[in-house]
Amino acid sequence: LDKTIETYHTFSPSPNTCTSFIKQRIDAPLTNIWPFVRDFANPKRYKSFIKSCKIRAGDGEVIGSIRDVAIISGLPASSSIERLEMLDDEKHILSFKILGGDHRLQNYCSVTSVCEFEKESEEETRSFVNTLVKTNLGKLEKLAMASLKGN
Ligand code: A8S
């Protein structure tokens, strides 16, 4: 993970540009996440602000593919032209650059990567104990209800 971040999410600072980095934890296997991220032709599947998208060059998988994205109203933008820079199904990285369009971002480059985490042992311990205690409490409820009817 750290290596991926260092290699693909770090940029040498150029003057007058800024960078940002966001992490999102998703409690689902990588196989349920990566298909959405890798689908350069259909960004609308998980991006909320997109109205529509058309592939203008390439097939959406070959590097250099270009998409025309239409943005929903209410934002200071109406369109974006984006070029696929990297699509790595082994490392699970997708990257694109904005070539143009009607918006205020200049020189924008996006890198999205997906990586799987070990379930933390604290979480595993908690969920193990919770299963046992919930089973016991379920039995306690049944006992109490039976005793209620018996009275
Ligand atoms: C992405 C990330 C961004 C997309 C932005 C930041 C954009 O599509 C929207 C509004 C804008 O003003 C710029 O991964 C632009 O898509 C929703 C049109 C590029």
Side-chain angles (χ1 to χ4, degrees):
L1 169 67
D2 288 345
K3 193 89 200 110
T4 302
I5 292 170
E6 201 186 298
T7 309
Y8 299 100
H9 294 278
T10 314
F11 301 87
S12 44
S14 30
N16 258 314
T17 66
C18 65
T19 60
S20 71
F21 179 68
I22 295 178
K23 279 196 226 184
Q24 169 77 48
R25 186 193 156 122
I26 303 174
D27 274 317
L30 185 142
T31 48
N32 295 80
I33 303 170
W34 177 240
F36 298 106
V37 174
R38 82 176 300 287
D39 195 357
F40 183 73
N42 298 289
K44 200 184 158 161
R45 288 174 88 190
Y46 84 94
K47 294 190 180 186
S48 314
F49 305 108
I50 293 180
K51 188 155 67 186
S52 62
C53 173
K54 265 214 166 74
I55 291 291
R56 167 213 285 236
D59 59 2
E61 298 207 0
V62 68
I63 301 310
S65 292
I66 297 173
R67 67 185 177 194
D68 284 316
V69 181
I71 308 302
I72 58 164
S73 61
L75 287 173
S78 64
S79 67
S80 181
I81 305 163
E82 305 174 350
R83 180 187 191 270
L84 184 63
E85 299 289 316
M86 189 191 302
L87 178 57
D88 190 322
D89 281 313
E90 252 110 67
K91 295 195 179 79
H92 309 107
I93 303 170
L94 175 136
S95 170
F96 68 87
K97 264 198 176 108
I98 293 187
L99 302 180
D102 175 27
H103 57 76
R104 295 174 189 172
L105 295 180
Q106 276 179 50
N107 254 320
Y108 188 84
C109 178
S110 159
V111 180
T112 306
S113 66
V114 185
C115 75
E116 218 148 25
F117 277 93
E118 290 287 326
K119 220 183 188 190
E120 278 160 40
S121 86
E122 180 192 329
E123 201 181 308
E124 212 148 25
T125 303
R126 183 181 296 114
S127 103
F128 172 70
V129 168
N130 282 357
T131 306
L132 301 183
V133 174
K134 276 179 191 162
T135 305
N136 292 344
L137 291 179
K139 190 171 169 189
L140 177 63
E141 185 191 17
K142 280 198 189 88
L143 268 176
M145 296 320 283
S147 121
L148 183 66
K149 278 176 201 150
N151 286 338

